[in-house]
Amino acid sequence: MKAKVWFGCALSGTILVLATFAGYIITVDPFFHYHGPLKEVAYTLDNSRYQNDGIVRHFSYDTLITGTSMVSNFKTSECDALFGGTSVKTPFHGGTFREVNDNLEAALLANPDLHTVIRCLDQGNFTQDKDYVNYDGIPYYLYDSNPFNDTEYILNKNVFILSDNVLADTAAGKQMTSFDQYMNWQGEYAFGKEAVLATYIRPGKSVYDKSLAETEREQTLANIRQNVTDVARENPDVTFYYYFSPYSICYWDVHVMQQGKLDWYMELQRLVIEEILTCDNIRLYAYDDHTDLTCDLDNYQDQMHYSEDINSLLLQWMKAGEGRLDRKNYPDYLKRVYEFYGAYDYDSIYE
């Protein structure tokens, strides 16, 4: 009898401790799995793959900025001033089209007030498989509606510590991370020619005389349709501001010209542009012909990543309609790009 009493007390005590542990995490909820941020609580936003799903499901907003690290330096305060409304930002560093689109679809499902989406389309990801995700360990238990795998969250020692840190920061008078600051990497890198050239070794020149293969065309179209255009067609009342990431002149040298792939690359761009322009509620923008931007390495910290000043310009340009492609002007845009990058003196970069 004493053993049964002891076992019952031990079991009850264990359940009580676990329930208290879980209840504490659910109440603070540092990853916003159950609710949005509590008022006057100093949440730290710094872990996109753990927090982005909760952001789109439980925050109040009508505009979403999303994409890869190319959107991390956008400031929602600038977006709100230009476009009106209230925006949030969900960057996925190194993300694929599938990963970004999954988050976008979750946002549209959870938030009927969402009417504007601003998204970068990384040109280097066009030919990916439509379901490709390049990160292991993504916390899908936070993304689904299965309550049983929530134990990985509510009984997690590290999450308990994070909850403590949130309350400690609040007690210390700190403020919640703003979306201007969230995942912003501007202060972490040097910019300019010296910094960019230090990030790679220029490859030797080769010849690539093939056109876009049928398998590449099919895979690209499957990727764009599943992860870009389908969601627009399914949400005709939402306006999608999509832009191609404006890579630096060094990217064009290393990944296009040195590989002899200019014709291939331009054929790929034409394919993607023509598919996206079939959606009337997508406003597509491209800035490879803004060569004062792409050829000025002071704007870049490596071949692809531009500074927050460029993010600010992109918002202004998109709002003003600058760089917008349509069914009439996109052939001229492609012609300008082809002629400029095809004739550029790339050796001068390294002088």
Side-chain angles (χ1 to χ4, degrees), residues 40-95:
E40 308 302 327
V41 174
Y43 290 93
T44 297
L45 303 182
D46 64 356
N47 198 327
S48 61
R49 286 182 170 84
Y50 284 82
Q51 294 176 311
N52 280 349
D53 185 74
I55 288 170
V56 298
R57 292 182 191 275
H58 297 300
F59 280 51
S60 296
Y61 61 98
D62 52 38
T63 300
L64 174 66
I65 301 173
T66 192
T68 62
S69 52
M70 298 295 176
V71 306
S72 291
N73 294 343
F74 277 126
K75 295 180 178 180
T76 56
S77 61
E78 294 179 348
C79 179
D80 295 349
L82 285 166
F83 289 83
T86 302
S87 58
V88 296
K89 180 175 67 178
T90 56
F92 293 87
H93 289 189

Side-chain angles (χ1 to χ4, degrees), residues 141-161:
Y141 59 87
L142 292 174
Y143 300 1
D144 61 29
S145 56
N146 179 5
F148 297 104
N149 62 15
D150 284 1
T151 54
E152 296 189 57
Y153 178 54
I154 61 176
L155 298 180
N156 188 309
K157 181 184 71 173
N158 292 328
V159 179
F160 187 90
I161 293 172

Side-chain angles (χ1 to χ4, degrees), residues 2 7 17 34 56 58 81 106 154 173 175 192 194 205 210 236 241 261 265 268 270 274 291 298 306 329 349:
K2 289 182 178 180
F7 178 77
V17 169
Y34 298 102
V56 298
H58 297 300
I154 61 176
Q175 301 295 314
E194 184 177 349
K205 196 159 190 175
K210 300 177 183 178
Y241 289 79
K261 297 183 76 171
Y265 192 70
L268 177 64
R270 178 180 294 274
E274 289 177 349
T291 55
D298 286 343
Y306 39 80
N329 69 14
I349 299 172

Side-chain angles (χ1 to χ4, degrees), residues 2-16:
K2 289 182 178 180
K4 289 183 178 180
V5 171
W6 180 89
F7 178 77
C9 290
L11 180 60
S12 298
T14 300
I15 293 174
L16 179 61

Side-chain angles (χ1 to χ4, degrees), residues 5 53 94 103 109 127 131 133 144 193 221 247 260 263 267 320:
V5 171
D53 185 74
N103 181 254
L109 183 63
T127 59
D131 295 316
V133 176
D144 61 29
K193 180 176 180 178
L221 284 174
Y247 296 149
D263 289 333
E267 188 178 355

Side-chain angles (χ1 to χ4, degrees), residues 296-315:
D296 184 354
L297 294 183
D298 286 343
N299 294 324
Y300 294 87
Q301 63 94 358
D302 61 17
Q303 299 171 52
M304 298 179 290
H305 291 85
Y306 39 80
S307 72
E308 66 180 14
D309 289 340
I310 302 305
N311 288 92
S312 297
L313 276 176
L314 291 171
L315 284 177

Side-chain angles (χ1 to χ4, degrees), residues 202-208 251-261 346-347 350:
R202 190 187 192 196
K205 196 159 190 175
S206 59
V207 176
Y208 189 90
Y251 179 92
W252 282 87
D253 179 39
V254 171
H255 295 280
V256 181
M257 300 306 298
Q258 288 298 106
Q259 297 184 32
K261 297 183 76 171
Y346 290 91
D347 291 337
Y350 305 92

